[in-house]
Amino acid sequence: MLWPMIAIALGFLGIAVLGVLAVRVFVEVRRLAREVGTASDRIQRAAQDLERAATPLAARAHEVGTD
């Protein structure tokens, strides 16, 4: 009777450990998703800034090229 109780206890502990690890993975994935979202927003703002900065330069280059 001792061995089945030990097996049940170890099985329960194993499931508990897997549950804790699953929660930790879930929390880290949410944090990573927030970071990816923030980075995506920054990249989008930088691309818009670059486009705004390049527009006058492209117009000037077009004017120089037509002369």
Side-chain angles (χ1 to χ4, degrees), residues 22-66:
V23 169
R24 288 181 63 189
V25 167
F26 177 74
V27 169
E28 291 299 321
V29 166
R30 285 184 55 124
R31 193 176 84 190
L32 177 62
R34 275 195 308 269
E35 291 293 325
V36 168
T38 302
S40 176
D41 291 340
R42 288 180 184 169
I43 289 170
Q44 186 176 9
R45 281 194 307 262
Q48 290 171 349
D49 291 345
L50 180 61
E51 186 176 352
R52 275 194 301 272
T55 300
L57 181 61
R60 212 173 312 144
H62 180 68
E63 291 171 1
V64 170
T66 58

